[in-house]
């Protein structure tokens, strides 16, 4: 049972894969736009976790850390824009459910 | 940097700073900022006065000193043929004298302009250009490198162009500025060729290096002569010598203060300054033994100057426009200066430059004051203004007496007499018909000068008013205009009186004949004969018949010079008085010939004079006309050849277009419509996939991700 | 590798992953936001576990700040306190989504298992902040500047989009 106690790269990759899948499910399935945003945050975090894990176990340098930092930056900017869009949709539809935002089909 | 160099650098920086402030911020300042350049020039004038009186007059002359900085290297550094461009400031006695002239006249003209230009459009820009001109002129004087001299030379030309064309809404002013600029380019081309020859032979454009090379015998005599004559083309253009004099009278279209500053006192003197500054170059290697009699360029200089002096003076007699008379008078006086230098007396030429700057500025400002009062340039409409404008009359009269060479009291007498003495001594010493020409020209021109200058005085200020209406409106000018007049009048008298006390222009000569000492020329050593054989071979002819038996060329010439002194003084006094007297006879209100009508051959000659010897006519026929003819040829070529080709291709294109049109209409349009229909059909079909709902798109992207993932796993 | 370190990892991993499930099914959007907070804190813990001290604290500071704003928006925007489970998800996509998610997870795990990553022996953990700062100002200067511009553009764009349009209102 050494793979249970010897924490290595694969453990982190599995955690990351689980988070990724969960985030994707949230994005696809939830109706609430804010919840969709949360799912996206999970996706981004799983990717960042991968970078840091590789940085720790494979390359032994800080490049992965910097990638994670830039992911955080992009996530912050993206959250701003998405929230602004959600606010606009809400003021237009009086609802934040994504399946009701179907202006594109008209 | 020595103290004079620092002061000179400050003087140089003042007007350019004033220009920058004035051109950008002038119109936001009170009084449109006219006090900025005026104040800067005032400070510069004070500094120049300090240099002049403390260091030059009382201190007995300055040590030549300079400061320079290497600006850039041309060519590969250190390689064969590379040379440094250095910018340097050099201060010696000549520089200080020129500084005083430029800053002094410039300052007074600034003050005068605050009155004369009051209320004009672009008042602020006028002052900006005046300041830029002052900077350029000071730079031209101060720099010790021919390249920079050329740059500043062009800068003053540009300023002159701007200022002549100041009233550019007038066609005549715009044309005059163009004429001045283009005529000057002709001369500057020669200047530039000379610079290139010098650069090729010497490898440097620093004045000191040029002199050194001349003394060391680097030059072949033919090349030196060619370079000297080419270099003299610059002064011919800038100082308005025959045959490039035509621009200066037209330049009077500019405002009168500009005429006074640029086209009388300073810029046109730049050419004279250049010839004086480069005198050893013109004189050739013999200069260091005091021999300038065998130099072809100097002979050319002397003849051109002398001819211009007489030529312009005769034209001035027949002009009725007061500023035109003064303009031709300026050309004539510039001819005097050039002639003096050509005869080997750079001291006399510069002395005349110095005195002329003041009294000619005075005359121009005085004429400006008159024009300001009666609103016309035509002397036929003036007359009897003496009572109306007493200050202007007195100062103008002083200027007239000075330029006419009224003996002993006025500065012009001393400088003109110095020029004549030199010309006579030169002629006596060198001998031959050509050598006597400059003296004859100069003496005649001096007499005519007195004649036409008093003509102005009689026609403008004395006698009865010819135009009552204009006369009744005339009034004395404001203090800002009359104060500079009075100051300049005082200077014109004082520098004469000063010379009277010193016996002659010796105070000036002592300080300017040493300006080439840094380059190995010493006036004192010339008294010693160095090579008797060489001296003998020159075979000088003394004017009094005594053959010089001992001494060097310079010492012998010094002897001839002394001998020529007394005769010329008598001649010049006689000539001046006869000129004035003749003027009174013809134009005085009770002169015996006041009602004389010109007729016969004289009338024909007058017609030639009024038409300016047809020089302008000739230029406009030959040069402008040939360009116009070329223009017609070009336009024919354009119309028939170029247009023909273009039209042919146009016709070709049109026919092709018709063919293509048919193909387009039938074939291409069908294809396009067919394609459109196909895509329309597909669009309609595929539209149903697009639900327009966000989750569907998100899900589609996730499915794509899954497909890619699995695809990569199994197929790669 | 001691037992406790292994236990610590599992605790942190559970903190990171399990809240994802809770977000997926929570009926109250405010609760979902708090679960997301927990998940991100777990990720921060994993960062610290990996020796990425700077990154861990950055995660805590930025994401917790961001999540607080998310909560506020969640409260502001949604009036309904709770929704029924039937309203939670989009029924139409439920089955396809679960199948696709399963496929992706399987594929990921398969890849992780199959690949040999050649991990080398781990080194001593050292503080990273100074080196990250140095890298940001040297090798990563251009991305750093671009990131700042991205943030600025995001800020301006967010303000512009969210601004109340006077005419239409």
């Amino acid at each position: 049972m050494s793979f249970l106690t010897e924490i290595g790269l694969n453990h982190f990759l599995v955690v990351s894969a689980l988070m990724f899948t969960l985030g994707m499910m949230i994005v696809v399935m939830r109706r609430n736009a804010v919840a969709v945003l949360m799912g996206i945050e999970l996706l981004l975090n799983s990717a960042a976790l991968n970078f840091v894990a590789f940085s720790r176990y494979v390359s032994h340098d800080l490049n992965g850390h910097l990638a994670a930092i830039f992911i955080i930056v992009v996530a912050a900017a993206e959250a701003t824009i998405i929230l602004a869009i959600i606010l606009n949709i809400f003021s237009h539809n009086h609802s934040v459910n994504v399946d009701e935002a179907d202006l594109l089909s008209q | 940097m020595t103290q004079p160099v620092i002061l000179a650098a400050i003087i140089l920086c003042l007007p350019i700073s004033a220009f920058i402030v004035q051109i950008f911020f002038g119109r936001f300042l009170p009084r449109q900022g006219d006090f900025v350049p005026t104040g800067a020039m005032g400070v510069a004038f004070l500094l120049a006065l300090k240099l002049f009186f403390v260091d030059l007059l009382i201190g007995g002359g300055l040590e030549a000193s300079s400061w320079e900085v290497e600006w850039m290297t041309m060519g590969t550094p250190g390689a064969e043929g590379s040379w440094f461009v250095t910018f340097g400031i050099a201060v010696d006695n000549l520089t200080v004298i020129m500084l005083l002239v430029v800053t002094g006249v410039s300052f007074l003209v600034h003050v005068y302009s605050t009155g004369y230009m009051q209320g004009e459009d672009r008042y602020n820009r006028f002052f900006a250009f005046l300041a830029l001109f002052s900077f350029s002129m000071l730079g031209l004087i101060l720099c010790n490198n021919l390249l920079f001299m050329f740059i500043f030379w062009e800068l003053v030309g540009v300023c002159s162009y701007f200022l002549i064309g100041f009233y550019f809404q007038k066609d005549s002013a715009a044309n005059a500025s163009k004429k001045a600029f283009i005529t000057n380019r002709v001369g500057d081309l020669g200047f530039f060729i000379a610079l290139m020859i010098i650069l090729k032979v010497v490898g440097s454009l620093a004045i000191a290096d040029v002199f050194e090379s001349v003394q060391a015998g680097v030059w072949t005599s033919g090349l030196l002569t060619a370079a000297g004559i080419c270099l003299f083309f610059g002064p011919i253009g800038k100082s308005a010598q025959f045959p490039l004099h035509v621009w200066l009278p037209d330049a009077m279209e500019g405002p009168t203060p500009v005429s006074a500053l640029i086209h009388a006192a300073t810029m046109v003197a730049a050419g004279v300054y250049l010839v004086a500054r480069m005198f050893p170059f013109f004189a050739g290697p013999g200069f260091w033994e005091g021999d300038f009699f065998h130099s072809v360029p100097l002979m050319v200089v002397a003849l051109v100057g002398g001819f211009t002096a007489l030529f312009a003076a005769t034209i001035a007699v027949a002009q009725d426009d007061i500023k035109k008379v003064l303009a031709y008078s300026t050309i004539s006086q510039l001819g005097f200066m050039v002639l003096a230098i050509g005869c080997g007396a750079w001291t006399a030429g510069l002395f005349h430059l110095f005195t002329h700057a003041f009294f000619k500025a005075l005359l121009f400002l005085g004429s400006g004051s008159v024009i300001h009062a009666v609103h016309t340039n035509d002397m036929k409409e003036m007359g009897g203004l003496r009572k109306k404008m007493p200050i202007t009359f007195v100062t103008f009269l002083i200027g007239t007496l000075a330029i006419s060479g009224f003996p002993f009291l006025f500065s012009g007498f001393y400088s003109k007499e110095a020029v004549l003495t030199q010309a006579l001594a030169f002629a006596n010493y060198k001998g031959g018909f050509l050598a006597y020409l400059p003296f004859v020209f100069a003496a005649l021109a001096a007499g005519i000068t007195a004649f036409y200058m008093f003509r102005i005085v009689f026609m403008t200020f004395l006698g009865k008013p010819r135009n009552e209406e204009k006369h009744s409106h005339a009034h004395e000018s404001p203090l800002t205009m009359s104060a500079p007049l009075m100051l300049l009048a005082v200077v014109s008298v004082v520098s004469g009186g000063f010379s009277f006390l010193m016996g002659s222009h010796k105070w000036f000569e002592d300080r300017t004949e040493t300006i080439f000492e840094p380059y190995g020329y010493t006036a004192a050593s010339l008294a010693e004969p160095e090579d008797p054989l060489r001296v003998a071979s020159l075979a000088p002819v003394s004017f009094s018949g005594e053959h010089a038996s001992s001494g060097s060329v310079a010492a012998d010439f010094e002897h001839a010079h002394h001998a020529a002194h007394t005769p010329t003084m008598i001649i010049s006094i006689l000539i001046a008085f006869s000129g004035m007297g003749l003027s009174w006879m013809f134009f005085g209100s009770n002169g015996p010939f006041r009602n004389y009508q010109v007729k016969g051959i004289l009338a024909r000659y007058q017609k030639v004079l009024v038409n300016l010897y047809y020089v302008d006519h000739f230029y406009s026929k030959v040069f402008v006309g040939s360009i116009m003819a070329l223009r017609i040829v070009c336009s024919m070529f354009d119309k028939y050849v170029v247009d023909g080709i273009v039209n042919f291709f146009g016709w070709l294109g049109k026919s092709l277009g018709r063919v293509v049109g048919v193909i387009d209409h039938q074939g291409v349009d069908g294809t396009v419509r067919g394609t459109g229909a196909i895509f329309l059909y597909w669009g309609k079909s595929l539209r149903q996939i697009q639900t327009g709902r966000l989750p569907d798109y998100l899900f589609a992207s996730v499915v794509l991700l899954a497909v890619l993932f699995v695809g990569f796993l199994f197929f790669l | 590798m001691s037992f406790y370190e292994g236990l610590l990892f599992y605790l942190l991993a559970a903190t990171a992953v399990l809240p994802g499930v809770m977000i997926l099914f929570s009926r109250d959007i405010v609760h979902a936001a708090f679960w997301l907070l927990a998940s991100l804190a777990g990720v921060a813990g994993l960062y610290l576990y990996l020796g990425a001290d700077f990154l861990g604290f950055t995660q805590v500071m930025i994401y917790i700040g961001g999540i607080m704003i998310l909560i506020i928006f969640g409260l502001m925007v949604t009036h309904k306190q709770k929704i029924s489970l039937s309203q939670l998800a989009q029924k139409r996509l439920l089955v396809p989504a679960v199948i696709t998610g399963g496929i992706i997870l399987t594929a990921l795990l398969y890849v992780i298992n199959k690949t040999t990553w050649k991990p080398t022996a781990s080194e001593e953990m050292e503080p990273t902040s100074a080196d990250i700062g140095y890298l940001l100002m040297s090798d990563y200067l251009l991305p750093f500047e671009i990131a700042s511009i991205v943030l600025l553009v995001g800020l301006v764009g967010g303000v512009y989009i969210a601004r109340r349009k006077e005419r239409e209102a």
Side-chain angles (χ1 to χ4, degrees):
Chain A
M1 295 294 279
S2 70
F3 77 90
L4 279 181
T5 49
E6 290 287 315
I7 307 300
L9 179 59
N10 280 6
H11 292 75
F12 284 95
L13 295 184
V14 170
V15 170
S16 169
L18 286 171
M19 278 177 71
F20 185 82
T21 314
L22 272 170
M24 216 165 61
M25 300 291 275
I26 294 169
V27 166
V28 176
M29 283 164 67
R30 291 287 306 234
R31 294 176 73 203
N32 191 315
V34 181
V36 171
L37 173 59
M38 293 175 182
I40 293 172
E41 297 292 340
L42 275 186
L43 287 173
L44 288 168
N45 262 280
S46 71
L49 185 60
N50 257 358
F51 272 114
V52 180
F54 280 115
S55 180
R56 170 86 174 93
Y57 288 104
V58 179
S59 67
H60 301 294
D61 58 19
L62 291 174
N63 290 340
H65 292 212
L66 284 153
I69 286 172
F70 289 120
I71 287 174
I72 292 173
V73 169
V74 171
E78 163 255 11
T80 323
I81 302 287
I82 290 187
L83 280 171
I85 293 173
I86 290 172
L87 204 61
N88 254 359
I89 291 177
F90 184 74
S91 69
H92 190 266
N93 281 357
H94 300 288
S95 160
V96 288
N97 288 347
V98 282
D99 49 356
E100 287 167 33
D102 53 359
L103 277 171
L104 270 176
S105 68
Q106 289 158 13
Chain B
M1 287 172 92
T2 58
Q3 196 217 13
V5 175
I6 294 171
L7 286 182
I10 296 172
I11 291 176
L12 183 61
C13 290
L14 276 168
I16 188 68
S17 323
F19 165 71
I20 291 167
V21 172
Q22 177 70 5
I23 195 86
F24 289 115
F25 309 112
R27 64 206 144 109
F28 306 120
L29 296 175
R31 294 181 53 83
Q32 301 201 30
D34 60 359
F35 57 88
V36 177
T38 312
M41 285 320 294
V43 175
F45 181 41
L46 287 179
L47 294 176
L49 275 179
K50 187 264 165 191
L51 281 174
F52 185 77
F53 279 108
V54 178
D55 296 330
L56 189 76
L57 277 186
I58 299 167
L62 296 88
E63 284 280 312
S65 55
S66 65
W67 168 84
E68 61 185 21
V69 55
E70 272 174 12
W71 188 32
M72 58 176 173
T73 317
M74 305 296 269
T76 318
E80 182 76 16
S82 71
W83 53 290
F84 284 114
V85 179
T86 54
F87 175 69
I89 289 178
V91 177
D92 59 12
N93 288 345
L94 173 57
T95 318
V96 170
I97 288 162
M98 292 299 292
L99 280 183
L100 182 79
V101 170
V102 174
T103 56
V105 177
S106 176
F107 171 60
L108 291 177
V109 165
H110 273 79
V111 172
Y112 181 90
S113 300
T114 59
Y116 187 88
M117 299 299 290
Q118 192 74 52
E120 298 267 0
D121 288 343
R122 303 188 298 284
Y123 180 77
N124 53 341
R125 215 183 297 170
F126 179 79
F127 277 89
F129 286 144
L130 278 190
L132 179 62
F133 168 77
S134 306
F135 162 73
S136 321
M137 189 66 207
L138 290 169
L140 170 62
I141 292 163
L142 283 170
C143 66
N144 67 350
N145 186 306
L146 278 174
L147 181 69
F148 275 91
M149 200 178 258
F150 186 70
I151 291 171
F152 284 117
W153 183 272
E154 296 299 330
L155 257 179
V156 290
V158 168
C159 293
S160 159
Y161 171 77
F162 287 149
L163 286 165
I164 295 170
F166 187 70
Y167 299 125
F168 55 75
Q169 63 273 34
K170 270 201 305 185
D171 273 353
S172 58
N175 287 336
S177 63
K178 264 185 281 179
K179 188 172 178 182
F181 200 71
I182 293 167
T183 313
N184 265 303
R185 292 293 75 66
V186 178
D188 292 347
L189 184 67
F191 192 169
F192 196 70
I193 292 171
L195 287 193
M196 287 193 284
I197 297 175
I198 291 172
L199 191 61
K200 183 74 189 155
V201 175
V202 184
S204 160
L205 288 174
I207 293 176
D209 294 343
V210 176
F211 289 167
E212 197 183 322
S213 73
V214 174
Q215 189 182 13
V218 176
W219 293 77
T220 59
S221 71
L223 206 55
L224 187 63
T225 305
I229 290 174
C230 282
L231 191 60
F232 183 55
F233 267 81
I236 286 181
K238 191 114 303 187
S239 288
Q241 299 298 295
F242 182 84
L244 296 182
H245 64 279
V246 290
W247 66 272
L248 187 58
D250 287 25
M252 297 303 137
E253 290 288 344
T256 305
V258 171
S259 308
L261 174 62
I262 298 183
H263 306 118
T266 54
M267 185 188 85
V268 291
V272 181
Y273 171 78
L274 176 71
V275 184
R277 175 57 88 193
M278 298 303 290
F279 185 81
F281 183 73
F282 287 105
F287 172 71
W288 280 268
E289 280 99 50
D291 167 33
F292 42 82
F293 303 97
H294 289 73
S295 160
V296 180
L298 274 185
M299 197 64 216
V300 172
V301 170
L303 285 176
V304 169
F307 182 72
T308 309
L310 181 62
F311 173 82
T314 52
I315 297 181
V317 173
Q319 298 295 312
D320 286 329
D321 182 329
I322 184 167
K323 281 179 79 180
K324 284 271 163 71
V325 179
L326 290 177
Y328 279 105
S329 158
T330 304
I331 297 175
S332 165
Q333 300 301 313
L334 288 167
F336 262 92
M337 301 168 202
V338 170
L339 172 154
I341 299 172
C343 292
W346 69 86
T347 59
L350 290 169
F351 186 50
H352 196 56
L353 191 164
F354 178 73
T355 57
H356 173 260
F358 292 113
F359 60 65
K360 187 46 73 63
L362 167 63
L363 288 170
F364 262 108
L365 295 184
S367 78
S369 181
V370 171
I371 294 166
H372 197 64
V374 297
H375 300 291
T376 175
N377 285 5
D378 195 347
M379 290 197 290
K380 280 180 181 154
E381 302 200 10
M382 301 177 187
L385 290 170
R386 180 168 60 97
K387 296 230 173 58
K388 290 266 188 178
M389 313 178 71
I391 300 176
T392 306
F393 169 66
V394 171
T395 51
F396 197 94
L397 186 64
I398 289 173
T400 306
L401 288 169
I403 196 174
S404 308
F406 193 85
F408 304 122
L409 193 56
F410 295 96
S411 55
F413 169 72
Y414 292 96
S415 54
K416 206 172 270 190
E417 190 245 327
V419 173
L420 287 171
T421 306
Q422 179 72 17
L424 182 60
F426 174 81
N428 283 332
Y429 196 82
K430 186 174 164 80
F433 168 70
L434 274 181
Y436 274 96
L437 273 182
F439 174 72
V440 175
F441 284 153
L444 283 174
I448 300 173
T449 304
F451 179 74
Y452 66 73
M453 282 314 297
F454 272 90
R455 176 169 170 263
I456 298 183
V457 173
F458 284 124
M459 285 182 78
T460 308
F461 292 102
L462 301 174
K464 290 193 196 95
R466 291 184 192 76
N467 187 326
E468 279 299 340
E469 190 201 332
K470 293 209 154 124
H471 182 260
S472 59
H473 288 128
H475 54 87
E476 184 59 270
S477 301
L479 187 67
T480 48
M481 288 169 70
S482 54
L485 290 178
M486 291 186 274
L487 257 172
L488 284 168
V490 168
V491 173
S492 296
V493 177
V494 164
S495 60
F498 192 69
S499 299
F500 183 68
L501 291 178
M502 300 289 289
S504 71
H505 72 299
K506 201 157 171 45
W507 65 274
F508 193 93
E509 189 183 340
D510 282 347
R511 286 165 181 79
T512 49
E513 71 181 1
T514 58
I515 55 173
F516 297 117
E517 274 179 7
Y519 313 116
Y521 168 87
T522 40
S525 73
L526 295 174
E528 304 296 323
E530 284 175 12
D531 183 355
L533 287 174
R534 184 180 156 73
V535 172
S537 71
L538 290 173
V541 185
S542 181
F543 90 105
S544 56
E546 312 165 34
H547 284 270
S549 53
S550 67
S552 67
V553 185
D556 283 343
F557 183 72
E558 193 66 19
H559 185 71
H561 194 275
H562 275 295
H565 199 273
T566 319
T568 38
M569 185 179 277
I570 295 165
I571 289 172
S572 63
I573 292 175
L574 280 178
I575 282 176
F577 276 115
S578 54
M580 296 180 211
L582 274 174
S583 190
W584 172 77
M585 286 186 213
F586 282 102
F587 303 107
S589 48
N590 33 355
F593 304 133
R594 61 181 181 279
N595 295 321
Y596 174 75
Q597 294 293 321
V598 282
K599 49 183 177 285
I601 192 161
L602 267 179
R604 233 175 290 158
Y605 184 55
Q606 192 192 31
K607 189 161 171 264
V608 173
L609 286 182
V610 169
N611 287 301
L612 320 172
Y613 287 100
Y614 297 102
V615 174
D616 293 57
H617 202 66
F618 174 76
Y619 286 167
S620 70
K621 272 266 154 28
V622 173
F623 295 118
V624 181
S626 60
I627 287 170
M628 286 299 165
L630 191 66
R631 189 198 63 146
I632 291 167
V633 172
C634 286
S635 101
M636 301 283 261
F637 181 80
D638 193 51
K639 198 166 175 184
Y640 293 108
V641 181
V642 179
D643 280 15
I645 293 171
V646 170
N647 287 341
F648 172 72
F649 277 106
W651 173 83
L652 203 66
K654 224 157 109 184
S655 326
L656 264 174
R658 227 169 267 143
V659 175
V660 171
V662 175
I663 299 170
D664 192 54
H665 208 69
Q666 307 300 327
V668 179
D669 277 18
T671 316
V672 169
R673 287 204 202 94
T675 317
I678 292 168
F679 279 108
L680 206 64
Y681 173 75
W682 276 101
K684 271 178 186 153
S685 316
L686 283 172
R687 187 171 182 266
Q688 282 150 23
I689 295 175
Q690 300 287 334
T691 58
R693 279 187 298 185
L694 204 54
D696 292 348
Y697 294 110
L698 278 173
F699 180 67
S701 63
V702 170
V703 169
L704 180 68
L705 182 69
V707 168
L708 282 176
F709 234 132
V710 177
F712 275 121
L713 273 182
F714 288 104
F715 299 112
L716 291 179
Chain C
M1 186 73 61
S2 76
F3 172 74
Y4 292 108
E5 278 188 38
L7 188 64
L8 181 60
F9 170 76
Y10 287 117
L11 279 176
L12 290 171
T15 321
V17 175
L18 293 181
V21 183
M22 303 311 287
I23 297 170
L24 190 55
F25 296 113
S26 83
R27 285 152 58 195
D28 188 340
I29 187 67
V30 181
H31 288 185
F34 277 107
W35 284 120
L36 180 64
L37 193 64
S39 172
L40 296 176
V43 174
L46 285 175
Y47 285 158
L48 291 175
Y49 187 89
L50 283 168
D53 52 352
F54 176 78
L55 204 51
F57 291 120
T58 309
Q59 172 90 356
V60 170
M61 278 159 45
I62 293 181
Y63 267 109
I64 288 180
I67 293 313
M68 293 311 286
I69 295 169
L70 267 181
I71 290 168
I72 292 165
F73 268 98
L75 288 174
M76 272 171 54
V77 170
T78 54
H79 299 287
K80 294 169 201 156
Q81 283 292 309
K82 283 191 176 175
I83 46 172
S84 66
L85 233 82
S86 60
Q87 282 182 309
L88 187 72
Q90 306 161 48
K91 285 185 208 116
R92 207 159 51 85
L93 289 175
L94 199 60
V95 176
V98 169
I99 292 170
T100 322
I103 289 172
I104 289 178
L105 183 61
T106 315
L108 277 173
L109 291 177
Y110 175 73
V111 170
I112 291 167
N113 201 29
K114 200 180 100 175
T115 317
T116 316
W117 295 106
K118 294 178 193 163
T120 49
S122 61
E123 296 167 7
E124 285 292 307
M125 294 182 202
E126 288 170 356
T128 57
S129 310
D131 293 333
I132 287 176
Y134 178 77
L135 279 175
L136 276 180
M137 284 297 135
S138 53
D139 293 359
Y140 286 86
L141 187 58
L142 183 65
F144 181 67
E145 296 292 344
I146 293 173
S148 64
I149 292 171
V150 166
L151 279 175
L152 178 65
V153 170
L155 190 69
V156 174
V159 169
Y160 177 75
I161 295 170
R163 194 187 50 171
R164 198 170 284 280
K165 290 174 181 67
E166 310 266 329
R167 291 269 174 83
E168 294 170 27

